[in-house]
Amino acid sequence: MRIESVNENTCIVYFGDSIGDESARLVKLATESIHRSMADVVTDLVPSYTSILVSYDLEKVDRFGIVRMLSAATDQISDAAPVDDSSRIVELPVYYGPEVGLDQDAVCEYSGLSAEEVIKIHSQQVYQVYAIGFAPGFAYLGSTDERIAIPRKSTPRLKVPTGSVGLAGTQTAIYPSSTPGGWQIIGRTPQKMIDWDSESLALVQVGDQVRFRAIDRQEFIDLGGSFDEL
Amino acid sequence: MSFEVLDPGMLALIQDTGRYGYQHIGVTTGGPMDEHAFLWANRLLNNELHAPQVEITFGKLRLLAHEDACIAITGADLGARINDQPVLPWQTYQISRGDRIEFTMPVSGLRAYLAVSGGFKATLKLGSCATVSREGLGGLDGDGAKLTKGDRLEFDAYEGSIVATVPDSELPDYRQPLRLGVIPGYQYRHFSAFERMKFFSCDYEVSQNIDRMGYRLSGDAIQSELNGIVSEGIAYGAIQVPSDGQPIVLMKDRQTIGGYPKIGCLSALDAGQLAQRGPGASVSFYLSDVADSEASRMLFNRRLQKGAAGISRD
């Protein structure tokens, strides 16, 4: 672990150099520990794949003090050796039908797999939430099976419909709101990913796990899924 | 108790000091592009330092006062007028019911701040009214809308009068070429000595591509040894270098994480000075360090606290 200054009220804590479950576990545990023990001096935390960006109140602690506090807060977690089993698994229903899986054909062509195979491979495993960013609630999930890995679209869509489930490299993600984006879209969830009026705000957090459950058109509609934005 | 927006101009946004504590779910901070000018406007009126103001970019905003008020104008000189009489920034003004407040065209700087005694009233979303249109958060009603014709900027009545001016020593000249201190960090060590030398000796120009997310500069291209990095949190003022080698300074509405190499970071006060520059302005960088930016900020905070003639002490 290393702690480096970024600017007068921000530093970054690195837990490793490559994406993986071990870094993700340390990031999750450290984020919780910092939240718990340093809430009075920390103004913002940005956990990501291998690091946590920490902003702090300069009127309360300086660059030396923050390193000392972060070291203390993260020291405790290195001992917590056993794989953390308290990690939540969030199940997301996804309709993979052709009218919402906008890039299904491109994925099939690139991978040489049938649509059924792509859906089966995508929905049979549990993914780790490595990072949230790009837009509020946009969760980067990994890693997908190499067989369905595909580069981003060469020309991004100007508007990706809310709830779209996409692929990029060996990552997969859900668009929580309608934004421009270049991920290859294979389905859509009727589940609301972000809700400013709810207590938790975002459905998933860094460190959670996600599993996709394939649903049919009728269930998608029953769960409030919408085709309107097509 | 309100000002009515007769014409919103190019871009007028409600801002407080920003939305903090939600970056872990991807929500950016927003907040004033120039903290120095914003904080002084509230300080002149003895407001809470985070009290909501209007950030006016470029100008053309016109307001009609429906009530007496005490206001402060700071930041860019956007050719402000009160009832057609030119007024200068960095001081307070008494407004009477029926007065018209207008910002015309930039004389120097790009963003002006308009504060009212007690602050403007706006709906809080996630603890802040900072407008981030892209995220649909903040503004008068909390939905991320910029000010539009017919909007009412509400505030509480204020009986007294305040006559205060920001000390001369605090007034920046936005027309000067800008030299910005870079705190080395992030992927700094992955830029070779030669690339760093290019970066610190080049005069960059502010490009046309500037907004509240980021400032793209143009000049000598610099390359790191890295194609991309594992995405990580982006601090305010971070200098990102994409593959075309042209630096981008990330501003208040930046995305929370990103995967481009970064050569370092500006201090918040320096980033605020950059935010006052428009396309064509000259910018150069020098190697600074975190100790210097920390000391500069603490000294600024003390001067702000001390205030100036006419400003009451907390």
Side-chain angles (χ1 to χ4, degrees):
Chain A
M1 188 192 78
R2 24 180 241 284
I3 304 171
E4 297 177 5
S5 287
V6 172
N7 64 24
E8 69 275 18
N9 65 355
T10 313
C11 61
I12 189 164
V13 189
Y14 290 105
F15 295 90
D17 294 312
S18 56
I19 297 172
D21 289 348
E22 178 57 14
S23 301
R25 187 181 72 89
L26 291 173
V27 166
K28 174 186 157 71
L29 293 175
T31 301
E32 286 167 355
S33 175
I34 296 167
H35 259 306
R36 222 174 19 243
S37 61
M38 294 173 63
D40 52 334
V41 298
V42 166
T43 52
D44 243 321
L45 285 178
V46 192
S48 187
Y49 296 89
T50 58
S51 63
I52 307 174
L53 189 77
V54 182
S55 303
Y56 52 92
D57 184 343
L58 190 54
E59 291 286 343
K60 293 183 180 154
V61 64
D62 66 10
R63 67 190 190 282
F64 300 114
I66 195 74
V67 168
R68 204 171 277 248
M69 294 179 82
L70 285 170
S71 299
T74 50
D75 261 359
Q76 304 154 9
I77 62 152
S78 334
D79 308 335
V83 174
D84 171 49
D85 49 17
S86 65
S87 176
R88 283 195 315 149
I89 296 189
V90 179
E91 188 180 85
L92 291 177
V94 176
Y95 174 48
Y96 292 94
E99 64 268 60
V100 292
L102 309 175
D103 300 307
Q104 191 80 256
D105 291 346
V107 175
C108 290
E109 194 177 325
Y110 188 84
S111 63
L113 301 166
S114 69
E116 290 70 30
E117 288 168 317
V118 170
I119 294 164
K120 183 156 175 262
I121 293 169
H122 187 256
S123 59
Q124 76 184 1
Q125 83 179 81
V126 175
Y127 298 97
Q128 183 77 35
V129 179
Y130 282 125
I132 294 183
F134 171 68
F138 188 97
Y140 293 80
L141 312 177
S143 299
T144 67
D145 192 299
E146 288 285 350
R147 284 175 291 168
I148 56 169
I150 179 170
R152 285 172 172 79
K153 295 173 73 64
S154 48
T155 309
R157 276 199 175 77
L158 291 175
K159 205 173 174 212
V160 179
T162 300
S164 290
V165 176
L167 298 173
T170 55
Q171 302 197 84
T172 181
I174 308 104
Y175 282 81
S177 56
S178 180
T179 53
W183 292 42
Q184 308 274 1
I185 305 305
I186 57 169
R188 192 179 300 178
T189 179
Q191 180 68 48
K192 209 173 183 179
M193 299 301 293
I194 197 124
D195 181 356
W196 301 132
D197 298 320
S198 82
E199 195 133 310
S200 61
L201 304 171
L203 187 64
V204 299
Q205 309 270 342
V206 172
D208 286 346
Q209 295 189 307
V210 170
R211 183 191 290 125
F212 297 106
R213 179 170 64 88
I215 58 174
D216 60 21
R217 195 172 194 281
Q218 191 54 50
E219 190 173 354
F220 178 70
I221 294 166
D222 291 346
L223 290 172
S226 130
F227 303 96
D228 298 347
E229 296 181 75
L230 289 181
Chain B
M1 310 291 148
S2 72
F3 294 158
E4 181 183 344
V5 178
L6 301 177
D7 182 344
M10 297 268 288
L11 181 65
L13 301 172
I14 295 287
Q15 294 292 346
D16 56 18
T17 44
R19 188 169 286 107
Y20 293 93
Y22 299 95
Q23 286 194 62
H24 64 287
I25 53 168
V27 177
T28 193
T29 61
M33 287 286 276
D34 179 351
E35 287 181 24
H36 170 266
F38 177 94
L39 293 171
W40 270 117
N42 274 336
R43 190 68 187 97
L44 284 175
L45 297 169
N46 215 29
N47 287 346
E48 297 279 354
L49 288 177
H50 59 78
Q53 301 179 17
V54 179
E55 180 183 88
I56 303 121
T57 303
F58 205 78
K60 302 281 188 195
L61 171 74
R62 286 194 301 128
L63 302 173
L64 172 64
H66 287 293
E67 198 62 43
D68 296 356
C70 187
I71 63 166
I73 298 172
T74 61
D77 181 349
L78 299 182
R81 291 160 179 269
I82 296 173
N83 297 330
D84 292 327
Q85 293 300 308
V87 295
L88 290 171
W90 305 108
Q91 64 182 80
T92 59
Y93 293 96
Q94 290 301 133
I95 298 297
S96 304
R97 185 189 179 120
D99 283 356
R100 280 163 193 265
I101 307 165
E102 183 182 12
F103 293 81
T104 58
M105 291 282 282
V107 178
S108 83
L110 207 55
R111 297 163 215 274
Y113 292 87
L114 171 69
V116 70
S117 181
F120 291 110
K121 293 183 175 178
T123 306
L124 295 185
K125 272 284 186 186
L126 306 184
S128 166
C129 63
T131 312
V132 182
S133 303
R134 186 180 82 247
E135 295 179 349
L137 289 171
L140 288 177
D141 300 322
D143 59 2
K146 56 185 186 179
L147 293 185
T148 57
K149 184 173 156 49
D151 279 348
R152 295 286 184 126
L153 303 169
E154 305 279 345
F155 52 88
D156 284 330
Y158 181 74
E159 298 301 329
S161 76
I162 300 171
V163 180
T165 307
V166 175
D168 282 349
S169 57
E170 287 292 313
L171 305 190
D173 182 352
Y174 302 132
R175 285 168 293 199
Q176 292 297 317
L178 191 56
R179 276 188 60 72
L180 298 168
V182 175
I183 302 151
Y186 281 128
Q187 288 73 44
Y188 181 75
R189 69 181 81 90
H190 294 285
F191 289 83
S192 70
F194 179 68
E195 298 296 325
R196 291 176 198 168
M197 203 176 69
K198 271 201 290 187
F199 177 69
F200 288 117
S201 57
C202 175
D203 282 329
Y204 286 94
E205 190 181 294
V206 175
S207 78
Q208 297 285 338
N209 294 314
I210 55 170
D211 59 18
R212 289 187 45 92
M213 271 184 96
Y215 259 57
R216 271 172 199 268
L217 307 178
S218 62
D220 286 350
I222 52 165
Q223 305 293 339
S224 77
E225 301 153 355
L226 307 165
N227 279 326
I229 58 163
V230 175
S231 285
E232 63 187 17
I234 302 174
Y236 175 48
I239 306 166
Q240 172 174 287
V241 184
S243 50
D244 68 2
Q246 302 293 322
I248 304 172
V249 181
L250 280 312
M251 302 300 252
K252 288 281 173 156
D253 289 2
R254 69 199 177 279
Q255 57 184 76
T256 53
I257 65 171
Y260 289 113
K262 297 174 285 300
I263 193 166
C265 195
L266 303 180
S267 69
L269 290 175
D270 272 7
Q273 293 306 299
L274 178 60
Q276 291 291 2
R277 264 61 178 186
S282 174
V283 178
S284 60
F285 298 99
Y286 65 92
L287 186 61
S288 180
D289 61 50
V290 67
D292 186 62
S293 57
E294 186 184 281
S296 299
R297 184 56 186 233
M298 291 308 278
L299 289 170
F300 170 72
N301 288 355
R302 293 295 95 80
R303 294 197 303 274
L304 193 66
Q305 202 176 23
K306 185 163 167 248
I311 307 179
S312 49
R313 295 282 188 88
D314 285 329

